[in-house]
Every structure is written in C-alpha cells, then in structure tokens.
Short mmCIF file of all heavy atoms in Angstrom, two decimals:
data_model
loop_
_atom_site.label_atom_id
_atom_site.label_comp_id
_atom_site.label_asym_id
_atom_site.label_seq_id
_atom_site.Cartn_x
_atom_site.Cartn_y
_atom_site.Cartn_z
N ASN T 18 19.58 196.10 -0.17
CA ASN T 18 19.16 194.70 -0.33
C ASN T 18 18.13 194.31 0.72
O ASN T 18 17.17 193.59 0.43
CB ASN T 18 20.37 193.78 -0.22
CG ASN T 18 21.25 193.82 -1.44
OD1 ASN T 18 20.82 194.19 -2.53
ND2 ASN T 18 22.52 193.42 -1.29
N VAL T 19 18.34 194.77 1.94
CA VAL T 19 17.40 194.46 3.02
C VAL T 19 16.03 195.08 2.75
O VAL T 19 15.00 194.42 2.90
CB VAL T 19 17.96 194.93 4.38
CG1 VAL T 19 16.88 194.93 5.46
CG2 VAL T 19 19.12 194.04 4.81
N ILE T 20 16.02 196.34 2.35
CA ILE T 20 14.75 197.00 2.04
C ILE T 20 14.00 196.23 0.96
O ILE T 20 12.81 195.90 1.10
CB ILE T 20 14.98 198.46 1.57
CG1 ILE T 20 15.47 199.32 2.74
CG2 ILE T 20 13.68 199.05 1.00
CD1 ILE T 20 15.77 200.75 2.33
N LYS T 21 14.71 195.92 -0.11
CA LYS T 21 14.08 195.21 -1.23
C LYS T 21 13.56 193.84 -0.80
O LYS T 21 12.45 193.43 -1.18
CB LYS T 21 15.07 195.07 -2.38
CG LYS T 21 14.47 194.46 -3.64
CD LYS T 21 15.48 194.45 -4.78
CE LYS T 21 14.88 193.85 -6.04
NZ LYS T 21 15.86 193.87 -7.17
N TYR T 22 14.34 193.12 -0.01
CA TYR T 22 13.94 191.77 0.39
C TYR T 22 12.78 191.79 1.38
O TYR T 22 11.92 190.91 1.36
CB TYR T 22 15.13 191.02 0.97
CG TYR T 22 15.00 189.52 0.86
CD1 TYR T 22 14.96 188.90 -0.40
CD2 TYR T 22 14.91 188.71 1.99
CE1 TYR T 22 14.83 187.53 -0.52
CE2 TYR T 22 14.78 187.35 1.88
CZ TYR T 22 14.74 186.76 0.62
OH TYR T 22 14.60 185.40 0.51
N LEU T 23 12.76 192.79 2.24
CA LEU T 23 11.62 192.91 3.16
C LEU T 23 10.32 193.10 2.39
O LEU T 23 9.29 192.52 2.74
CB LEU T 23 11.84 194.06 4.13
CG LEU T 23 12.84 193.81 5.26
CD1 LEU T 23 13.09 195.09 6.05
CD2 LEU T 23 12.34 192.71 6.20
N TYR T 24 10.37 193.92 1.35
CA TYR T 24 9.17 194.09 0.52
C TYR T 24 8.88 192.82 -0.27
O TYR T 24 7.72 192.41 -0.38
CB TYR T 24 9.34 195.27 -0.43
CG TYR T 24 9.13 196.61 0.22
CD1 TYR T 24 10.13 197.58 0.20
CD2 TYR T 24 7.93 196.92 0.85
CE1 TYR T 24 9.93 198.82 0.80
CE2 TYR T 24 7.74 198.15 1.45
CZ TYR T 24 8.75 199.09 1.42
OH TYR T 24 8.55 200.32 2.01
N THR T 25 9.90 192.20 -0.81
CA THR T 25 9.69 191.00 -1.61
C THR T 25 9.02 189.89 -0.80
O THR T 25 8.12 189.20 -1.30
CB THR T 25 11.04 190.49 -2.16
OG1 THR T 25 11.62 191.51 -2.98
CG2 THR T 25 10.86 189.23 -2.98
N CYS T 26 9.45 189.74 0.45
CA CYS T 26 8.94 188.65 1.30
C CYS T 26 7.88 189.14 2.29
O CYS T 26 7.67 188.52 3.34
CB CYS T 26 10.10 188.01 2.06
SG CYS T 26 11.36 187.30 0.99
N GLN T 27 7.23 190.22 1.95
CA GLN T 27 6.26 190.83 2.87
C GLN T 27 5.23 189.84 3.38
O GLN T 27 4.91 189.79 4.57
CB GLN T 27 5.56 191.99 2.16
CG GLN T 27 4.59 192.76 3.02
CD GLN T 27 3.83 193.81 2.21
OE1 GLN T 27 2.82 193.50 1.59
NE2 GLN T 27 4.33 195.03 2.19
N ALA T 28 4.66 189.03 2.49
CA ALA T 28 3.60 188.10 2.90
C ALA T 28 4.10 187.07 3.90
O ALA T 28 3.35 186.64 4.78
CB ALA T 28 3.04 187.39 1.67
N GLU T 29 5.38 186.71 3.79
CA GLU T 29 5.93 185.69 4.68
C GLU T 29 6.13 186.20 6.10
O GLU T 29 5.61 185.63 7.05
CB GLU T 29 7.27 185.18 4.12
CG GLU T 29 7.90 184.11 4.98
CD GLU T 29 9.22 183.61 4.41
OE1 GLU T 29 9.54 183.95 3.24
OE2 GLU T 29 9.92 182.88 5.13
N TRP T 30 6.89 187.29 6.26
CA TRP T 30 7.15 187.75 7.61
C TRP T 30 5.97 188.47 8.25
O TRP T 30 5.87 188.56 9.48
CB TRP T 30 8.41 188.63 7.67
CG TRP T 30 8.40 189.88 6.82
CD1 TRP T 30 9.01 190.05 5.62
CD2 TRP T 30 7.77 191.13 7.13
NE1 TRP T 30 8.79 191.32 5.14
CE2 TRP T 30 8.03 192.01 6.05
CE3 TRP T 30 7.00 191.59 8.19
CZ2 TRP T 30 7.56 193.32 6.02
CZ3 TRP T 30 6.52 192.90 8.18
CH2 TRP T 30 6.81 193.74 7.09
N SER T 31 5.04 188.96 7.43
CA SER T 31 3.83 189.58 7.99
C SER T 31 2.99 188.55 8.75
O SER T 31 2.23 188.91 9.65
CB SER T 31 2.98 190.20 6.87
OG SER T 31 3.62 191.31 6.29
N TRP T 32 3.17 187.29 8.37
CA TRP T 32 2.38 186.23 9.00
C TRP T 32 2.77 186.00 10.46
O TRP T 32 1.93 185.81 11.33
CB TRP T 32 2.55 184.93 8.20
CG TRP T 32 1.79 183.76 8.73
CD1 TRP T 32 2.30 182.70 9.43
CD2 TRP T 32 0.39 183.51 8.63
NE1 TRP T 32 1.32 181.81 9.76
CE2 TRP T 32 0.13 182.29 9.29
CE3 TRP T 32 -0.66 184.21 8.04
CZ2 TRP T 32 -1.15 181.74 9.36
CZ3 TRP T 32 -1.94 183.67 8.12
CH2 TRP T 32 -2.17 182.46 8.78
N ASP T 33 4.08 186.01 10.73
CA ASP T 33 4.53 185.69 12.09
C ASP T 33 5.49 186.70 12.70
O ASP T 33 5.90 186.56 13.84
CB ASP T 33 5.18 184.30 12.12
CG ASP T 33 6.37 184.19 11.17
OD1 ASP T 33 6.79 185.22 10.62
OD2 ASP T 33 6.88 183.06 10.99
N GLY T 34 5.85 187.73 11.93
CA GLY T 34 6.76 188.75 12.45
C GLY T 34 8.20 188.30 12.58
O GLY T 34 9.02 189.00 13.20
N ASN T 35 8.53 187.14 12.01
CA ASN T 35 9.89 186.61 12.14
C ASN T 35 10.78 187.19 11.04
O ASN T 35 11.01 186.57 10.00
CB ASN T 35 9.87 185.08 12.06
CG ASN T 35 11.18 184.46 12.50
OD1 ASN T 35 12.23 185.11 12.48
ND2 ASN T 35 11.13 183.20 12.91
N ILE T 36 11.28 188.38 11.29
CA ILE T 36 12.11 189.08 10.31
C ILE T 36 13.47 188.40 10.18
O ILE T 36 14.02 188.29 9.07
CB ILE T 36 12.30 190.56 10.69
CG1 ILE T 36 10.95 191.22 11.01
CG2 ILE T 36 13.04 191.31 9.60
CD1 ILE T 36 10.03 191.34 9.85
N GLU T 37 14.01 187.95 11.30
CA GLU T 37 15.34 187.35 11.28
C GLU T 37 15.39 186.13 10.35
O GLU T 37 16.36 185.94 9.61
CB GLU T 37 15.77 186.95 12.69
CG GLU T 37 17.17 186.37 12.75
CD GLU T 37 17.60 186.02 14.16
OE1 GLU T 37 16.95 186.48 15.12
OE2 GLU T 37 18.59 185.26 14.29
N LYS T 38 14.36 185.31 10.40
CA LYS T 38 14.33 184.11 9.55
C LYS T 38 14.41 184.49 8.08
O LYS T 38 15.10 183.82 7.29
CB LYS T 38 13.05 183.32 9.82
CG LYS T 38 12.91 182.06 8.97
CD LYS T 38 11.62 181.33 9.27
CE LYS T 38 10.40 182.11 8.78
NZ LYS T 38 9.14 181.34 8.96
N VAL T 39 13.72 185.56 7.70
CA VAL T 39 13.71 185.99 6.31
C VAL T 39 15.06 186.58 5.91
O VAL T 39 15.65 186.19 4.89
CB VAL T 39 12.58 187.01 6.08
CG1 VAL T 39 12.70 187.64 4.71
CG2 VAL T 39 11.22 186.33 6.23
N LEU T 40 15.59 187.49 6.72
CA LEU T 40 16.83 188.17 6.36
C LEU T 40 18.05 187.25 6.42
O LEU T 40 19.05 187.51 5.75
CB LEU T 40 17.05 189.39 7.26
CG LEU T 40 16.06 190.54 7.08
CD1 LEU T 40 16.45 191.72 7.96
CD2 LEU T 40 15.97 190.98 5.63
N SER T 41 17.96 186.18 7.21
CA SER T 41 19.10 185.26 7.30
C SER T 41 19.37 184.57 5.97
O SER T 41 20.44 183.99 5.77
CB SER T 41 18.85 184.22 8.39
OG SER T 41 17.74 183.40 8.07
N ARG T 42 18.42 184.64 5.04
CA ARG T 42 18.62 184.03 3.73
C ARG T 42 19.48 184.90 2.82
O ARG T 42 20.04 184.41 1.84
CB ARG T 42 17.26 183.76 3.06
CG ARG T 42 16.42 182.73 3.80
CD ARG T 42 15.36 182.14 2.88
NE ARG T 42 14.33 183.09 2.52
CZ ARG T 42 13.14 183.19 3.13
NH1 ARG T 42 12.85 182.36 4.13
NH2 ARG T 42 12.26 184.07 2.75
N ILE T 43 19.59 186.19 3.10
CA ILE T 43 20.39 187.06 2.24
C ILE T 43 21.59 187.67 2.98
O ILE T 43 22.45 188.27 2.34
CB ILE T 43 19.55 188.21 1.63
CG1 ILE T 43 18.98 189.13 2.73
CG2 ILE T 43 18.44 187.65 0.75
CD1 ILE T 43 18.42 190.42 2.19
N LEU T 44 21.65 187.52 4.30
CA LEU T 44 22.77 188.03 5.08
C LEU T 44 23.61 186.88 5.60
O LEU T 44 23.07 185.84 6.00
CB LEU T 44 22.27 188.89 6.25
CG LEU T 44 21.46 190.14 5.92
CD1 LEU T 44 21.05 190.86 7.20
CD2 LEU T 44 22.26 191.09 5.02
N SER T 45 24.90 187.08 5.61
CA SER T 45 25.77 186.08 6.20
C SER T 45 25.54 186.02 7.71
O SER T 45 24.92 186.93 8.29
CB SER T 45 27.24 186.42 5.92
OG SER T 45 27.61 187.60 6.62
N ARG T 46 26.04 184.97 8.33
CA ARG T 46 25.87 184.85 9.78
C ARG T 46 26.52 186.03 10.49
O ARG T 46 25.96 186.58 11.45
CB ARG T 46 26.48 183.54 10.27
CG ARG T 46 26.33 183.33 11.78
CD ARG T 46 26.87 181.98 12.20
NE ARG T 46 26.14 180.89 11.58
CZ ARG T 46 26.41 179.60 11.80
NH1 ARG T 46 27.42 179.26 12.60
NH2 ARG T 46 25.69 178.66 11.21
N GLY T 47 27.69 186.43 10.00
CA GLY T 47 28.37 187.56 10.62
C GLY T 47 27.60 188.86 10.48
O GLY T 47 27.50 189.64 11.43
N ASP T 48 27.05 189.10 9.29
CA ASP T 48 26.27 190.31 9.08
C ASP T 48 24.99 190.29 9.91
O ASP T 48 24.55 191.33 10.43
CB ASP T 48 25.93 190.47 7.60
CG ASP T 48 27.11 190.98 6.78
OD1 ASP T 48 28.11 191.42 7.40
OD2 ASP T 48 27.04 190.94 5.54
N MET T 49 24.38 189.10 10.02
CA MET T 49 23.16 189.00 10.83
C MET T 49 23.45 189.33 12.29
O MET T 49 22.66 189.99 12.96
CB MET T 49 22.59 187.59 10.70
CG MET T 49 21.17 187.45 11.22
SD MET T 49 19.94 188.20 10.12
CE MET T 49 19.25 189.44 11.21
N GLU T 50 24.61 188.89 12.77
CA GLU T 50 24.99 189.19 14.15
C GLU T 50 25.21 190.70 14.34
O GLU T 50 24.85 191.25 15.38
CB GLU T 50 26.24 188.41 14.54
CG GLU T 50 26.02 186.92 14.71
CD GLU T 50 24.95 186.60 15.76
OE1 GLU T 50 24.97 187.24 16.83
OE2 GLU T 50 24.10 185.74 15.49
#
C-alpha cells in the first residue's frame, strides 16, 4: 500500500519532500509511529 501510494501521490511529496504528511492519510497513527 505504501509503495502504491507513494507513486500515486508522487507530484505532491516531490514538491516539498514531506512523505509523512502523505503516508499519514493511509496509515493509522500507531502504524505511522
């Protein structure tokens, strides 16, 4: 899921490098930690 979402949102995180902001939409708080 992470691999797919990183590619899906490539244009977004490529702009500022904020990967956590993008992945926090598909991962629970516990998984993000």
Side-chain angles (χ1 to χ4, degrees):
N18 286 338
V19 166
I20 291 178
K21 185 176 181 179
Y22 205 64
L23 284 173
Y24 281 122
T25 300
C26 300
Q27 183 186 85
E29 180 180 349
W30 59 259
S31 292
W32 180 256
D33 58 9
N35 193 338
I36 310 294
E37 182 178 345
K38 179 180 70 175
V39 170
L40 292 184
S41 64
R42 295 200 291 263
I43 63 167
L44 298 180
S45 68
R46 181 177 297 180
D48 283 348
M49 193 74 242
E50 289 302 316

